[in-house]
Amino acid sequence: MGLITPGVRFLAKWTPVLGAYGGVTFALSSVAAARFGYEPPTWILVAGTALSIPVLSSIYVISLKIRKSRQAAAYGARIVPEAQGKVIGNLDVLQQMMEKLKTGYPGDGLLELLELRGPVVNLRVLWSDLIFTASPQHIKTILATDFQNYVKGERFHFNMESVLGTGVFNSDGEMWKFHRSITRPMFTRERISHFELFDRKAMQVISKMRERLREGYAVDFQDVMSRFTLDSATEFLFGNCVESLSAGLPYPHNAAYPPPLPRTARGDAANAFATAFLEAQAIISIRERYGWVWPLAEIFKDKSAEPMRIVNSYIEPIVKEALAKKRAPSEQEKLEENDNATLLDHLVRVTDDPVVLKDEILNIMIAGRDTTAATLTFIIYFLALYPQVMMRLREEILAKVGHSRRPDYDDVRDMKYLRAVINETLRLYPIVPFNVRESINATTWQSDDPSQKPYFIPAGTKTAYSVFMMHRRKDLWGPDAEEFDPDRWLDERLKTYVSKNPFIFLPFNAGPRICLGQQFAYNEMSFMIIRLLQSFRLIELDLSSAPPEAHPPAEWAETTGRKAVEKLFPKMHLTMYTNGGLWVKVQESDGTN
Ligand code: HEM
Ligand SMILES: *[C@@H]1O[C@H](CO)[C@@H](O)[C@H](O)[C@H]1NC(C)=O
Ligand SMILES: *[C@@H]1O[C@H](CO)[C@@H](O)[C@H](O)[C@H]1NC(C)=O
Ligand SMILES: *[C@@H]1O[C@H](CO)[C@@H](O)[C@H](O)[C@H]1NC(C)=O
């Protein structure tokens, strides 16, 4: 297993192609020898082979292009405009995108490209089509109306497999249906036990924050939320909480003499698990960005192997135990479906396969944990940035549940402003900002301008889309699209924009693969926010406690829109987060104010 790295597999696949080039040159020279009695010297053979690679490849690429043009014409469609890089294979476009990923704001690079080439563009890096859109009608086609024709696909599956296996997030067709069907029942009804769980974890969050703030230090809210969602998810999914909150919160990078954190075996294990889990996610997202050549970066080792060893060593014993329990007759009745059943309890009733069980749990954790933690982080960022929004939200909360009562479903449902704040955050920071599918059969996308021919989408093409960019389009959301204004969900703007076309707002995707945890996430986030605002009356960013990498590049201030006013540095791997954390200080409520 260890020897066959992704890179070795990649070379094994492509070496025969190189061999074929050599073969063609050799055959040509044999023909020359037989017909004309001319034996070319070895150097000519070698040079010929070397030359034949670009020559034959070019012929191949050009013939594909001609075929594509003919097909497009047959569909009455036009070819999607291509990025015009300056370097062969658009390598400079790839390099620029990777650079923007490090130093840019989400969408940087692409926005300029769209400006130049039109609203739909083919990035075509290394001769592989990658058609990009931020139009609601195309995204609707991909996700809903023509769902059957767009899959995650073999390439995506191959990139993600060493981490995600074959779970609901990383499968297509019948396999996906199976996974979705076994997981869905967990999310179909609201469970009292969820709120009971959120409450225990939320109270722990608040007491940890209080402790640290009373010592006079700021708190990294992103870190706290990651711990909150990790602990909640592990308890909810398999009844065995990682207890990362108990490991203690990190101190600011510039704390003079930070007291040492209490070290416990449990805390160390929690931190190791969290770090490994994050690293595995970062690795698969880098693979996605390099495209089909990523295995070349993993010739010597599968980079996800080490972090996955740590993740698996945590989860596998838990799965084993659950299966053993299932076989013990005395425990049978405990497995009955009840309000407290975990996802694992539920899954072991439908399958005995430890790999399916482990994959499914990991998929749900990847799908549900960072997404929720990061959204909560961006919500608090906006509440700190806009104190008048914070005040109004707090009024709604205190009017409904007071300073200490535990909220229930009905309370959450009635809090309209809270929901508007969450929606507005998900609009500006949809945590899955970019996504990709692969077409099966050739098809077309309508042009936004109906007088224009539709775009041709060849069979087997990667189609990428950005809800992040769609969510900020002024033509879809109005001139104030880049402003944070929860009222747009409550006033006449709701009717003018979203109600008319719900597909302009897709933080959870749409269609048959819509997020399974949407309701769960709204509940978990609402609950956490309510508990926080009951306890804290003011939240402020503490930029002096944030490490250097948390500050947005100074040149952003000279641009326009959100990018110019941002006080954090949004970055993305599979999902978005804020670089270096979100360091905040809060003012506590004394229960009367
Ligand atoms: C604010 C929080 C969340 C956001 C913004 C979010 C967003 C999304 C998005 C955009 C997708 C589609 C990904 C794709 O198809 O490529 C997705 C899928 C999914 N989400 Fe969420 N999610 C959140 C929370 C959760 C939670 C809490 C859970 C479960 C506990 C969850 C479970 C899932 C699952 C299982 C899928 C895969 C569905 C499928 O492919 O059939 N999500 N989510
Ligand atoms: C793709 O085309 C083939 C052949 O026409 C057809 O059998 C198949 O159902 C199509 N698949 C999808 C997803 O449309
Ligand atoms: C679920 O757990 C709670 C507390 O952990 C307990 O009070 C309740 O009786 C349990 N419910 C069921 C159906 O087992
Ligand atoms: C928030 O967005 C959801 C769609 O995801 C919508 O159903 C809901 O009505 C919105 N809520 C508010 C208050 O705007």
Side-chain angles (χ1 to χ4, degrees):
M1 169 72 202
L3 277 177
I4 314 225
T5 66
V8 168
R9 268 200 277 173
F10 182 85
L11 291 180
K13 186 173 155 201
W14 288 99
T15 306
V17 177
L18 279 182
Y21 282 123
V24 169
T25 315
F26 184 75
L28 285 175
S29 78
S30 308
V31 170
R35 281 215 50 177
F36 309 111
Y38 172 65
E39 286 278 349
T42 312
W43 70 267
I44 291 217
L45 278 185
V46 173
T49 302
L51 263 180
S52 75
I53 295 174
V55 171
L56 295 182
S57 304
S58 302
I59 293 176
Y60 178 66
V61 165
I62 290 168
S63 72
L64 277 187
K65 252 194 170 152
I66 293 172
R67 212 178 81 200
K68 209 163 78 177
S69 297
R70 288 209 187 117
Q71 275 183 328
Y75 274 87
R78 59 181 160 140
I79 299 285
V80 173
E82 285 177 16
Q84 304 286 339
K86 293 187 184 69
V87 177
I88 183 164
N90 274 348
L91 274 172
D92 54 331
V93 176
L94 175 66
Q95 198 245 331
Q96 241 177 42
M97 294 286 162
M98 299 302 272
E99 190 55 38
K100 296 281 188 207
L101 210 60
K102 277 194 217 119
T103 60
Y105 194 69
D108 275 3
L110 268 169
L111 277 171
E112 291 87 330
L113 198 57
L114 297 192
E115 195 100 323
L116 211 65
R117 317 284 317 158
V120 177
V121 68
N122 184 354
L123 271 72
R124 201 167 159 79
V125 165
L126 295 171
W127 305 279
S128 161
D129 287 334
L130 176 64
I131 294 182
F132 176 85
T133 183
S135 288
Q137 60 161 334
H138 303 148
I139 301 178
K140 182 177 178 179
T141 303
I142 295 172
L143 296 179
T145 43
D146 201 12
F147 173 72
Q148 297 296 339
N149 199 42
Y150 297 89
V151 289
K152 295 217 166 177
E154 252 328 293
R155 272 179 293 203
F156 184 87
H157 183 81
F158 173 62
N159 295 358
M160 305 280 151
E161 192 180 13
S162 66
V163 173
L164 292 173
T166 307
V168 61
F169 205 67
N170 195 31
S171 49
D172 286 308
E174 290 306 312
M175 185 60 116
W176 163 73
K177 268 189 201 150
F178 165 72
H179 280 280
R180 185 138 176 137
S181 75
I182 59 175
T183 305
R184 222 177 105 79
M186 228 16 222
F187 295 97
T188 45
R189 63 199 170 89
E190 313 208 295
R191 291 159 191 255
I192 308 293
S193 60
H194 293 173
F195 269 43
E196 193 273 324
L197 166 69
F198 299 153
D199 197 46
R200 256 186 298 120
K201 302 299 174 198
M203 289 330 242
Q204 204 183 349
V205 163
I206 287 164
S207 94
K208 288 279 167 193
M209 282 180 68
R210 274 210 174 108
E211 232 172 74
R212 183 55 42 84
L213 292 156
R214 283 176 187 171
E215 288 173 59
Y217 294 105
V219 165
D220 176 1
F221 193 75
Q222 179 165 257
D223 171 83
V224 187
M225 286 301 101
S226 297
R227 290 171 196 273
F228 165 63
T229 53
L230 180 63
D231 288 3
S232 307
T234 47
E235 185 162 331
F236 162 72
L237 294 175
F238 45 79
N240 189 317
C241 178
V242 172
E243 284 176 35
S244 63
L245 276 167
S246 71
L249 310 184
Y251 285 91
H253 74 295
N254 54 359
Y257 298 102
L261 293 175
R263 290 284 294 274
T264 61
R266 183 102 210 183
D268 286 351
N271 285 337
F273 178 84
T275 309
F277 191 62
L278 199 69
E279 201 181 320
Q281 276 171 273
I283 287 161
I284 52 180
S285 88
I286 288 170
R287 291 178 182 173
E288 256 313 278
R289 293 202 211 278
Y290 273 112
W292 61 280
V293 292
W294 71 262
L296 290 176
E298 298 188 30
I299 294 270
F300 299 110
K301 63 171 195 193
D302 171 350
K303 289 186 178 164
S304 65
E306 181 52 23
M308 283 314 286
R309 192 186 58 71
I310 296 171
V311 169
N312 287 337
S313 71
Y314 192 91
I315 293 187
E316 275 162 4
I318 294 167
V319 167
K320 219 178 204 171
E321 194 187 334
L323 283 169
K325 247 193 207 166
K326 174 184 177 178
R327 291 186 197 109
S330 62
E331 299 276 343
Q332 280 294 338
E333 74 250 40
K334 287 205 190 142
L335 290 172
E336 296 291 303
E337 193 68 43
N338 78 37
D339 196 67
N340 292 345
T342 65
L343 180 78
L344 184 58
D345 292 335
H346 171 76
L347 291 176
V348 291
R349 298 188 321 140
V350 283
T351 175
D352 280 338
D353 185 338
V355 178
V356 171
L357 290 168
K358 192 204 83 184
D359 282 356
E360 199 60 8
I361 287 174
L362 265 182
N363 273 251
I364 307 284
M365 239 164 92
I366 296 240
R369 185 241 167 168
D370 277 351
T371 44
T372 310
T375 305
L376 278 162
T377 302
F378 284 108
I379 293 172
I380 291 300
Y381 166 65
F382 282 128
L383 293 183
L385 214 52
Y386 304 108
Q388 70 284 10
V389 174
M390 164 90 180
M391 241 156 65
R392 194 163 141 202
L393 177 57
R394 198 156 180 266
E395 269 165 28
E396 179 179 77
I397 289 169
L398 294 184
K400 192 81 200 162
V401 289
H403 281 87
S404 58
R405 183 164 72 76
R406 181 178 129 184
D408 58 28
Y409 296 120
D410 296 327
D411 299 320
V412 170
R413 211 178 359 252
D414 290 346
M415 292 185 190
K416 296 271 182 306
Y417 193 65
L418 173 59
R419 182 57 80 107
V421 167
I422 296 176
N423 277 7
E424 184 64 349
T425 305
L426 284 167
R427 185 181 70 82
L428 287 171
Y429 283 107
I431 296 305
V432 185
F434 294 85
N435 211 328
V436 65
R437 294 290 191 264
E438 197 174 301
S439 65
I440 295 179
N441 290 333
T443 181
T444 60
W445 290 349
Q446 261 175 26
S447 288
D448 280 340
D449 173 358
S451 70
Q452 297 262 347
K453 279 187 185 172
Y455 297 103
F456 179 61
I457 311 295
T461 303
K462 276 194 156 197
T463 54
Y465 61 91
S466 171
V467 294
F468 179 92
M469 286 161 74
M470 175 172 77
H471 283 179
R472 291 168 177 230
R473 277 176 53 168
K474 296 198 167 75
D475 59 335
L476 301 175
W477 290 92
D480 60 356
E482 297 223 340
E483 272 159 47
F484 178 82
D485 183 2
D487 271 322
R488 80 174 75 242
W489 296 93
L490 305 169
D491 62 27
E492 72 290 344
R493 282 173 291 181
L494 182 67
K495 278 203 204 78
T496 319
Y497 302 109
V498 199
S499 306
K500 242 195 237 154
N501 184 6
F503 276 83
I504 68 174
F505 182 59
L506 299 178
F508 295 99
N509 262 10
R513 280 194 101 135
I514 193 169
C515 174
L516 262 179
Q518 176 173 349
Q519 209 45 52
F520 184 90
Y522 269 122
N523 285 336
E524 181 172 9
M525 295 189 298
S526 301
F527 198 94
M528 187 70 238
I529 300 288
I530 294 171
R531 280 312 208 185
L532 278 168
L533 267 55
Q534 282 178 314
S535 308
F536 303 131
R537 47 196 287 270
L538 191 67
I539 300 170
E540 287 169 305
L541 299 181
D542 183 0
L543 299 178
S544 66
S545 295
E549 67 270 22
H551 300 288
E555 60 272 18
W556 286 11
E558 280 133 47
T559 59
T560 54
R562 273 237 75 75
K563 184 176 170 185
V565 298
E566 228 62 285
K567 293 209 168 7
L568 47 61
F569 193 166
K571 287 232 174 156
M572 50 199 161
H573 32 243
L574 286 180
T575 51
M576 253 189 305
Y577 61 98
T578 177
N579 209 38
L582 185 79
W583 293 84
V584 298
K585 284 198 166 166
V586 302
Q587 280 179 26
E588 292 184 42
S589 156
D590 63 11
T592 63
N593 58 2

